[in-house]
Amino acid sequence: MKKHNFSAGPCILPQSVLKKASEAVVNFDGLDLSLIEISHRSKQFVAVMERAQELALAHLGLQNKGYKALFLQGGASMEFLMVAYNLLEQKAGYLDTGTWSNKAIKEAKLFGDIDVVASSKEHNYNQIPKGYKVPSGLDYFHLTSNNTIFGTQMNEFPEVDCPLVCDMSSDIFSRVLDFSKFDLIYAGAQKNMGPAGTTLVVVKEDILGKVSRVIPSMLDYKVHISKDSMFNTPAVFPVYVSMLTLEWLKDQGGVAAIEKVNKEKAALLYNEIDRNPLFKGFVANKEDRSMMNATFTLENESLKETFDAMCTAAGINGLNGHRSVGGYRASMYNALPLESVQVLVDAMQALEKKA
Ligand SMILES: *Cc1c(COP(=O)(O)O)cnc(C)c1O
């Protein structure tokens, strides 16, 4: 039965990518060898790494602008501390927009003073803080562009006089932004790019090398840059699948084309959440709603069993909200087709007829 996969992460990848990836596990590039049993220094794998880096920069419009793309390990969670290790000398600023921001703040506090410039914690993170001013003279300012758990997303970015760092784990490659505003972008692969196991870091080289502490090699961005992401054995399979997904994105017309589809998907679902009297959205302001993760609940919890059964019958997977929010969360990453959102909307309308 066809499944409609709304999982928040790891999450849906294009079928064509999964098929190519599975073939490469058996016979990569006609070598009669598996992708995962050859050297990462073979010319075939080096070409994969180079292509993945090139595509990542191209999709963000950051080629030839002083940026390097790295594929590292340890997840986005490792970047919470690597960012601070590499950039924090005295004081950094953070915008607190949810669970992931909080985790980033906690790690950074091990390395220096942290100024939480604004927070939406008192609103249970159902909105993006506004009207704050970022003080000058910080070592960097850190944002989370899309809050995967609460379903909020930033659409405006503050003016700062320091490097701007952004965790884009759950919305990278989903919309067009002026990415050159950011000096360091990181994203765990498993939300919009590939399997868990690798993290994309795009960093402007000239912000590095400015802290006085000694940085262990594996945590030093400069070391990874000097070795082209091959300082140690990279996660060959996740990098390969990420490369395939980035090629797929190119075939779809790139980030601008996928953004159009993402907007359509989000509009379809949010219109139904607003129209259908049985449901309500979690996010307070429409302008803060995430295009990637839509959070909503039933007005009447007693319908939960019925709705869940209808979803299962329709082949809908991964709709449960995060335990800290409850209700439902429909994650609509790049690879999710509009048709799957229609199936969900149909189920919501069928519930209304039944109730
Ligand atoms: C999932 C997620 C993370 C954590 O990623 P890991 O790769 O599991 O460490 C961090 N930030 C955001 C915004 C996320 O969605």
Side-chain angles (χ1 to χ4, degrees):
M1 174 189 184
K2 178 160 173 57
K3 288 292 167 86
H4 301 283
N5 188 4
F6 291 89
S7 176
C11 64
I12 187 166
L13 289 170
Q15 277 296 316
S16 61
V17 165
L18 295 178
K19 185 158 179 298
K20 271 188 211 156
S22 67
E23 285 163 7
V25 169
V26 179
N27 181 356
F28 174 52
D29 225 10
L31 293 172
D32 292 320
L33 291 164
S34 168
L35 168 78
I36 59 175
E37 63 175 4
I38 61 168
S39 170
H40 58 293
R41 304 203 184 276
S42 63
K43 78 170 193 295
Q44 288 82 4
F45 186 76
V46 169
V48 168
M49 178 62 92
E50 285 174 353
R51 182 71 180 144
Q53 292 169 338
E54 177 188 322
L55 282 164
L57 289 177
H59 281 313
L60 300 174
L62 293 178
Q63 279 176 311
N64 306 316
K65 289 187 177 161
Y67 290 84
K68 284 280 158 54
L70 300 169
F71 284 90
L72 305 181
Q73 296 178 58
S77 300
M78 182 69 96
E79 299 317 309
F80 296 162
L81 67 108
M82 266 177 90
V83 162
Y85 228 126
N86 284 264
L87 302 178
L88 179 50
E89 184 73 16
Q90 287 187 327
K91 193 176 199 175
Y94 278 70
L95 189 67
D96 175 21
T97 53
T99 309
W100 297 117
S101 311
N102 254 287
K103 292 191 174 187
I105 290 166
K106 177 166 179 259
E107 299 305 304
K109 279 185 174 167
L110 300 171
F111 299 91
D113 290 343
I114 300 304
D115 182 356
V116 178
V117 171
S119 169
S120 48
K121 185 172 184 168
E122 65 184 64
H123 301 287
N124 193 25
Y125 298 116
N126 74 352
Q127 54 197 267
I128 299 287
K130 308 231 170 66
Y132 58 91
K133 197 172 173 327
V134 181
S136 64
L138 297 170
D139 292 331
Y140 63 88
F141 189 60
H142 180 284
L143 308 165
T144 311
S145 54
N146 185 66
N147 300 284
T148 326
I149 290 174
F150 298 95
T152 59
Q153 187 171 28
M154 297 185 71
N155 287 306
E156 277 170 39
F157 296 90
E159 292 302 321
V160 295
D161 66 358
C162 61
L164 192 58
V165 175
C166 193
D167 176 359
M168 294 195 189
S169 291
S170 52
D171 67 354
I172 193 149
F173 305 126
S174 70
R175 59 174 173 172
V176 176
L177 291 177
D178 176 5
F179 293 99
S180 68
K181 278 190 171 179
F182 302 92
D183 299 275
L184 192 153
I185 295 166
Y186 62 90
Q190 70 275 16
K191 306 272 167 54
N192 220 1
M193 187 169 55
T198 191
T199 313
L200 173 66
V201 175
V202 173
V203 58
K204 202 165 191 190
E205 267 195 282
D206 66 12
I207 67 166
L208 300 174
K210 299 197 171 149
V211 289
S212 55
R213 73 175 62 81
V214 176
I215 306 173
S217 308
M218 269 299 278
L219 300 179
D220 189 341
Y221 291 126
K222 283 173 81 96
V223 169
H224 290 290
I225 289 172
S226 72
K227 302 289 181 189
D228 285 322
S229 294
M230 298 262 196
F231 170 69
N232 73 322
T233 317
V236 292
F237 184 72
V239 171
Y240 178 67
V241 182
S242 298
M243 186 213 76
L244 292 178
T245 309
L246 295 173
E247 290 283 13
W248 169 86
L249 179 56
K250 187 162 181 268
D251 294 341
Q252 305 301 301
V255 175
I258 212 82
E259 178 179 21
K260 268 181 84 178
V261 184
N262 288 337
K263 278 190 173 152
E264 262 183 82
K265 291 186 299 192
L268 179 60
L269 181 55
Y270 283 120
N271 283 341
E272 182 60 19
I273 292 170
D274 292 341
R275 185 208 63 80
N276 192 321
L278 301 184
F279 293 92
K280 66 167 183 281
F282 172 79
V283 178
N285 313 314
K286 286 189 182 177
E287 76 269 15
D288 296 339
R289 284 171 161 178
S290 168
M291 203 159 54
M292 294 281 97
N293 314 94
T295 44
F296 56 101
T297 50
L298 279 163
E299 291 279 5
N300 178 352
E301 273 297 304
S302 69
L303 292 173
K304 180 170 164 47
E305 224 171 289
T306 314
F307 184 59
D308 288 355
M310 289 167 76
C311 286
T312 306
I316 291 169
N317 174 66
L319 203 64
N320 275 341
H322 190 270
R323 56 193 180 281
S324 57
V325 178
Y328 299 101
R329 168 174 51 171
S331 297
M332 301 176 281
Y333 296 116
N334 285 354
L336 186 86
L338 182 64
E339 172 209 341
S340 290
V341 181
Q342 188 62 57
V343 168
L344 173 58
V345 166
D346 290 347
M348 293 163 79
Q349 294 180 351
L351 182 72
E352 185 188 12
K353 291 213 179 78
K354 209 170 181 172

